[in-house]
Amino acid sequence: MGEAFRGCGYRLTAGAAELLWREGEATFGKTCRCNNVHMCAWCMSRILAVRAANIQAAADGLAAEGYGLHLGTNTLRHFPRTPYGTVRKGMRGGLVAVLHDGWKGAYGSAGRRWRNLRDEFGIVGYERAFEDTFGWGTGFHLHWHTLWVTRTRLDAEAQAAFRDAIAAAWAAGVEAAGGYTVSETCDRPDCSCGGKGHGTDLRPLNGADDAEGEAGKQARYLYKDGDKAKGGTAKIGLELAGTHFKAGRGDDRLGPLELGDAAAAELARLGEPGPFVKKYREREFGVFQVRKHWRSPSLNRLIKELGIPQDDRTEAEITDDSEGLSPIALIPAGTWYRHIARHSGRRLDLIKVAEAHGLPGVRLLIESWGLVWGRDVLDPPVEAAAEEAPAPGDLDADQLGFAVMSEEEARFRAARRAAQAARAEEIAASLARFRSA
C-alpha cells in the first residue's frame, strides 16, 4: 500500500521535483513527506528507528542512575463486531476512544488515583506506545505498551503490589470510559498471568534478583542486548517503537503492514474493495490524531537533567534524506503530476534505476515513457562558482543586469514618482495646517 499512499512524496513543495543522487543512493527532493507513523511504511521506518534509539538511550541512562524500569501492557476486551472507532472531535467512539479515555481515567495526572500511585510507588514518569493488530476471529486488538520509571528498583513484594495497583486503576478507568470489563482473572492452568487475567501486565526490567521470575527474565532480555555472544539483539527500544513492524501474534492476527499488504493484494485481485480493504480503511480513519508515542513531561525533565543524549530532530527533519545528495534531474510540476506521480510504480522505478545506473539509466527510463529530455525533464541548473564580490565602484551595467528600458515603462515610472512626490507634499501641507491651527 506504500505506493498507493499518496501523502508521502506525491505533492510538490515547489514548482518542480528534484531527483537527488549519489553513488548507490537516490531520493526525491522538494516533495512533501506525510510523516505518518501509523500508515506510511517509508516514514514509519525512519521515525520509529530514531524513537527506538531514544527510548533505549533513556532506559540505559536511567538504569545506570539506579532508577527502576518496568515494562507494562494494558489491553481491552474486544470482539469482531467492535468498531475501531476514532478520537476525532465530535465523532469520538469505538475501541480507540475507550483506550485513550481509559488511560486518562486510570493514570491522568489530575486524578487522585494517579497521585496515590505516584506517591506510593515513587513513579517518576512513563513512556507510552500505541499498538494495534487485526484478526478476523477477534477483530481489532488495541493496547498500550508502557515503560514505567520508579525512583528505586522494587523488590518482589513491591513489584507485585505495583502490578496490582496498576491493574486496578486500569480496570476502573476502562469501565468509566464505557468499555467492556477488563480481564482480571484467569482459570487456565500454568498461564503466564498467574491467574490475574490479561487486562494488565507488568514486568520488572532491572529489578532485584528475587523480583525476576520467568516473566521478569523475559522482560529483562528486552531491556538489554541479551547474550551478545549468542547474537541476542532484542531491546526495550525496539519493543516500544518497533511494534508496527512485528507480525500479529496468533495465526489470524495481522500487524498494520500485514493488513496493508493483504488489502493491496485483494484490491489487485478483485479490482474493487473487499473485506480487507474495508478493514484497512476503517483503521486508516481510526488512527488519525492518535499519538504513537507519548513521554510524560516529568520523565522528559528527568532525562534532560541527567544529561541523557536524545535525538531532538522533528519528524520532518528525520524523514529528510537529501543530505549529501546532488540533483541530477529537474522534473517540472506538469510532468510530475501527469506522467510520474499518478502512474503507480514510476516513482519507485526512478529511484531504483538512479541507484543502480545513475543519470544514463534515468535518461533511458524517462525516454521509454515517451518523454523528451530537455523539454519534459530538465538538467538541474548549474550553480556558478562563488567569486569575490567587486567593490561598488567597479560594477558595470552587465554585472548589474541592466536592460534597456522602453519609453512606455520610463513614462510609467516617471508618473509614479511624480504621484508619490505630490502625495508627500499633500501630507506635509496637511500636517502644517494642523500644527498652525
Side-chain angles (χ1 to χ4, degrees), residues 109-243:
S109 59
R112 178 177 297 177
R113 186 181 291 114
W114 164 251
R115 294 198 299 271
N116 291 339
L117 279 172
R118 180 193 61 194
D119 296 340
E120 182 178 357
F121 299 100
I123 301 174
V124 176
Y126 59 84
E127 178 137 0
R128 186 189 69 191
F130 172 83
E131 182 178 354
D132 62 334
T133 58
F134 171 75
W136 289 111
T138 57
F140 286 108
H141 175 54
L142 280 59
H143 50 281
W144 300 118
H145 286 306
T146 310
L147 175 64
W148 296 95
V149 181
T150 54
R151 295 194 180 280
T152 59
R153 296 190 300 172
L154 304 181
D155 58 24
E157 183 178 353
Q159 181 69 31
F162 186 27
R163 184 264 169 213
D164 292 343
I166 289 286
W170 176 244
V174 170
E175 184 176 355
Y180 294 109
T181 302
V182 171
S183 171
E184 295 185 88
T185 59
C186 177
D187 56 4
R188 286 187 291 180
D190 301 325
C191 184
S192 60
C193 72
K196 295 185 176 182
H198 301 271
T200 307
D201 185 33
L202 189 71
R203 305 179 185 186
L205 294 177
N206 64 339
D209 290 340
D210 59 349
E212 293 178 7
E214 189 62 31
K217 292 178 181 178
Q218 294 173 8
R220 186 170 184 173
Y221 179 77
L222 293 171
Y223 162 58
K224 297 301 289 182
D225 288 347
D227 188 353
K228 292 186 178 181
K230 298 180 181 179
T233 57
K235 289 188 174 184
I236 183 61
L238 293 178
E239 179 70 10
L240 264 68
T243 52

Side-chain angles (χ1 to χ4, degrees), residues 390-396 400:
D394 297 333
L395 296 177
D396 56 26
L400 290 174

Side-chain angles (χ1 to χ4, degrees), residues 76-101:
L76 296 175
R77 192 187 297 272
H78 56 93
F79 303 94
R81 66 179 183 274
T82 312
Y84 196 102
T86 181
V87 293
R88 298 170 190 245
K89 188 176 181 180
M91 305 174 65
R92 197 176 188 92
L95 284 172
V96 69
V98 172
L99 191 74
H100 281 79
D101 295 343

Side-chain angles (χ1 to χ4, degrees), residues 244-289:
H244 276 47
F245 302 102
K246 298 187 299 184
R249 299 177 179 88
D251 295 337
D252 68 336
R253 296 211 356 225
L254 304 175
L257 297 184
E258 292 175 317
L259 179 60
D261 290 342
E266 179 187 69
L267 191 61
R269 185 178 71 254
L270 301 179
E272 61 181 4
F276 276 112
V277 173
K278 292 178 181 177
K279 289 299 179 182
Y280 177 86
R281 290 176 176 173
E282 181 181 355
R283 179 182 182 273
E284 182 180 26
F285 184 84
V287 295
F288 180 70
Q289 296 180 335

Side-chain angles (χ1 to χ4, degrees), residues 353-422:
V353 168
E355 289 175 343
H357 305 290
L359 181 57
V362 170
R363 291 194 63 162
L364 286 175
L365 180 62
I366 288 291
E367 291 167 356
S368 73
W369 295 338
L371 304 177
V372 177
W373 193 275
R375 184 192 69 189
D376 300 311
V377 178
L378 311 174
D379 290 313
V382 179
E383 295 183 3
E387 298 179 0
E388 185 178 354
D394 297 333
L395 296 177
D396 56 26
D398 291 335
Q399 290 172 318
L400 290 174
F402 286 158
V404 177
M405 188 181 301
S406 66
E407 293 182 3
E408 182 180 358
E409 185 175 359
R411 288 194 300 270
F412 170 77
R413 293 194 176 189
R416 186 172 61 182
R417 284 195 297 271
Q420 290 172 342

